[in-house]
Amino acid sequence: MVHIKILLGGLHQEINSFAPGNTTIEHYRRKQYHMGADMLSFAAQYHRCNEGTDLLGGAYSVLAEAGAEIVSGGFMSAQPGSIIEQCVLDDYIAQLKEAVKANLPLDGVVLVMHGAAQSVESDDPEGDIIVAVRELVGEDVPITVGLDLHANVTERMIKIANTISLYQRYPHVDVWETGVRAAKLCLGILSGEIKPAMAYVQVPMIIPASSYTTEIEPFKSLMKMGHDYVAAGKLLDFSVSQMQPWLDVKDGYSSVVAIGEDREEAAAIAKEMAAAFYGMRHEFKTELTSVDEIIRIAEKNHSGKPVILNDFADSSNAGSAGDSPEAIERVLALASDVKGLMYINDSAFVAACQKAGVGSTVKAEIGAEYSKKLFSPVAVEATVRALFDGVVSFHGNFVDFGPSAVVKIRNMIVVVTTQHRYNGDPTLYRAFGYEPADFQMVVVKANTSFRAFYGPLTDLIYPAATKGSSTSNLESLPFEKVPKSFYPFSDNDFTPTVNAFGK
Ligand SMILES: [Zn+2]
């Protein structure tokens, strides 16, 4: 076969503009920071686990199987969080440019990113990255991109990339497959098999991530429409972006991307899907239950299935800090003996537990370590059950929760960590020695994503009316850049037009 050389890499992080502090290089180093040859060995050994890194794994597997020479553009990923320090983005782009220059001429580029990043100086870091690569590789080298369904796909990204493919499922159980799609599109262009035309339509709305999934209506039908067009041979690929709703950027939109071989047909389909998408806006709603009511329901729960107190407003995958003590505060206020299981991120509390030692009682404040404007810490009396280094195996990959303590507060087992990580998977509690099914109530700080993992365990799921940086009440947040003409701030008519075509 013909020798082809493809650069693979990307910066992957989802930003919450309202989360406290800034994301620093340390946040990446504690999660995924793989530059140079290290990225290639990491990608080759990586196991699928439905996290963003699966984009890299999926793309790598396709390129490797095709016998391509894969060169590293470096890959870095941090837990969703606050706005990225500018030097972190600048350093990544500088390293990526060096990698491109050292490997010219390249046949193709595959970039795997989240799509909802924001740095101190840039509202479109992924656009900055694609532009930097395009300037070096020239106009004729295909650049294909894999992103999250919650990406902010910008007009600039569309105009300089050849294809952009987003996850098509939420909960995100097709992250690996999205990496596969992006890599296959690149190989298809290189072999001459396909000549993609990409049409992009912006949709003026942002919707809380807790209020929909692609697995049920109305979103299910919209995705089926796209899949039917692919099956009928009218499209090669399609994406629907529900822009990360806690991202306050200029040029931020939800959107539809349709990729076909016929530009006009792709444009017509993108417009049709965008109109249908906007038409569903009133159906994307989160039904909330108060924390007190959920605790009362859980106290009476002897079903053998846990009640999920879904504190999505403090979701680790929506950039919140995971330090809301609201569930603990209410359990104490109600003097409830509910048998509960909970996760919270608080390094000072872990330090107090380490100092006291296993078996001892700690009297200290818990919570609000970072989100001081949102919450107040809660004074608790906790028994230290166990201390851990916090490195746990998540589906074969190591995830670092940092030094951690397991404590008992009233009848609640609370896992306290020093690094906020994805907690929407029962694997977390199992790693610390507790089975969620043994509890009356489990607190999960995640949006819809957790339903893929908790769904087999329970159907007693209650999105809670909690406070947090990732609240579903978008009108309560201090948006400055997203236009007030967007739904839900306004509710206007909308006529879709093609805002841009891809390369
Ligand atoms: Zn997402």
Side-chain angles (χ1 to χ4, degrees):
M1 90 166 244
V2 193
H3 177 258
I4 49 170
K5 184 153 80 165
I6 296 182
L7 180 130
L8 171 66
L11 178 148
H12 186 284
Q13 197 192 8
E14 177 174 17
I15 295 307
N16 182 321
S17 305
F18 309 106
N22 282 121
T23 296
T24 70
I25 193 67
E26 281 311 310
H27 290 94
Y28 288 91
R29 290 192 189 279
R30 291 286 304 238
K31 194 154 186 260
Q32 312 287 359
Y33 187 80
H34 302 286
M35 295 295 141
D38 177 36
M39 187 200 87
L40 301 176
S41 51
F42 170 72
Q45 291 164 31
Y46 179 78
H47 301 268
R48 170 191 188 118
C49 77
N50 295 310
E51 279 237 6
T53 309
D54 279 13
L55 277 172
L56 179 74
Y60 181 91
S61 69
V62 167
L63 299 175
E65 193 168 316
E69 179 189 349
I70 308 169
V71 300
S72 168
F75 177 79
M76 55 194 279
S77 172
Q79 192 63 30
S82 49
I83 294 172
I84 307 167
E85 281 187 347
Q86 191 57 32
C87 60
V88 175
L89 176 63
D90 292 347
D91 284 352
Y92 177 70
I93 292 177
Q95 292 195 57
L96 177 62
K97 284 166 83 172
E98 285 311 310
V100 172
K101 281 189 230 161
N103 286 289
L104 290 173
L106 284 165
D107 296 298
V109 176
V110 180
L111 295 171
V112 285
M113 305 190 281
H114 183 282
Q118 182 181 27
S119 68
V120 170
E121 289 172 21
S122 176
D123 279 358
D124 185 17
E126 291 87 354
D128 299 345
I129 288 167
I130 306 170
V131 165
V133 173
R134 175 61 75 202
E135 281 172 1
L136 293 172
V137 298
E139 296 301 310
D140 300 330
V141 172
I143 300 177
T144 65
V145 183
L147 301 174
D148 190 288
L149 179 144
H150 298 104
N152 172 31
V153 182
T154 63
E155 190 174 326
R156 185 166 74 129
M157 287 160 64
I158 292 287
K159 284 178 173 166
I160 44 179
N162 293 74
T163 64
I164 291 182
S165 305
L166 278 54
Y167 311 160
Q168 291 169 329
R169 294 180 70 184
Y170 185 44
H172 301 322
V173 290
D174 64 332
V175 185
W176 186 279
E177 286 76 6
T178 307
V180 166
R181 281 156 56 211
K184 282 191 172 168
L185 284 165
C186 189
L187 293 174
I189 297 168
L190 287 175
S191 68
E193 228 169 280
I194 54 169
K195 286 191 176 57
M198 178 163 62
Y200 159 78
V201 176
Q202 295 166 347
V203 182
M205 67 174 180
I206 51 174
I207 300 283
S210 52
S211 61
Y212 55 89
T213 98
T214 56
E215 313 304 291
I216 58 170
E217 299 302 346
F219 214 151
K220 189 178 177 181
S221 293
L222 181 68
M223 299 312 280
K224 184 174 183 303
M225 191 190 290
H227 287 298
D228 286 349
Y229 280 126
V230 173
K234 292 179 186 294
L235 292 182
L236 296 166
D237 195 74
F238 74 97
S239 302
V240 177
S241 141
Q242 280 273 30
M243 185 183 103
Q244 144 79 323
W246 305 285
L247 187 65
D248 190 23
V249 290
K250 58 182 191 294
D251 300 326
Y253 306 88
S254 295
S255 60
V256 173
V257 177
I259 303 173
E261 300 232 56
D262 180 323
R263 184 180 152 115
E264 293 316 313
E265 189 163 58
I269 294 171
K271 285 195 281 189
E272 182 195 5
M273 290 183 69
F277 189 25
Y278 191 73
M280 294 167 182
R281 65 194 178 284
H282 299 131
E283 294 174 64
F284 296 130
K285 270 206 195 87
T286 315
E287 300 296 340
L288 300 178
T289 308
S290 78
V291 175
D292 287 12
E293 198 180 336
I294 299 170
I295 292 169
R296 292 306 189 204
I297 293 167
E299 284 171 341
K300 294 182 208 121
N301 173 27
H302 301 287
S303 65
K305 302 182 287 189
V307 161
I308 303 296
L309 191 163
N310 180 207
D311 183 12
F312 64 86
D314 194 30
S315 163
S316 55
N317 266 27
S320 292
D323 60 347
S324 165
E326 204 170 336
I328 298 171
E329 195 254 314
R330 294 318 302 160
V331 163
L332 294 177
L334 297 172
S336 172
D337 283 321
V338 67
K339 189 180 180 194
L341 185 58
M342 168 164 174
Y343 158 86
I344 190 167
N345 186 39
D346 188 329
S347 59
F349 195 84
V350 170
C353 294
Q354 285 173 326
K355 203 173 159 203
V358 174
S360 48
T361 301
V362 170
K363 287 184 185 175
E365 291 191 323
I366 193 165
E369 184 175 21
Y370 303 98
S371 312
K372 296 189 195 308
K373 284 186 191 160
L374 284 164
F375 317 117
S376 300
V378 177
V380 297
E381 194 173 316
T383 314
V384 183
R385 301 284 291 254
L387 296 167
F388 292 93
D389 68 1
V391 178
V392 303
S393 171
F394 250 68
H395 309 284
N397 305 301
F398 288 109
V399 176
D400 182 7
F401 284 83
S404 303
V406 175
V407 301
K408 193 169 185 201
I409 301 171
R410 287 195 72 96
N411 206 17
M412 297 262 290
I413 294 292
V414 183
V415 174
V416 194
T417 67
T418 51
Q419 295 286 315
H420 191 28
R421 293 283 179 266
Y422 183 60
N423 69 99
D425 187 323
T427 304
L428 164 74
Y429 292 121
R430 288 174 187 148
F432 287 95
Y434 293 89
E435 170 51 51
D438 296 340
F439 288 80
Q440 289 177 299
M441 179 179 88
V442 177
V443 178
V444 176
K445 293 170 184 276
N447 272 286
T448 299
S449 57
F450 74 96
R451 291 175 186 267
F453 311 109
Y454 274 96
L457 226 61
T458 183
D459 53 353
L460 309 174
I461 295 172
Y462 294 88
T466 48
K467 287 182 291 184
S469 315
S470 43
T471 171
S472 65
N473 182 6
L474 301 181
E475 291 99 320
S476 71
L477 294 168
F479 280 98
E480 288 175 1
K481 297 178 181 175
V482 169
K484 292 286 174 282
S485 59
F486 276 28
Y487 185 79
F489 311 120
S490 307
D491 195 1
N492 301 317
D493 289 339
F494 161 64
T495 308
T497 50
V498 175
N499 298 90
F501 286 101
K503 271 208 93 59

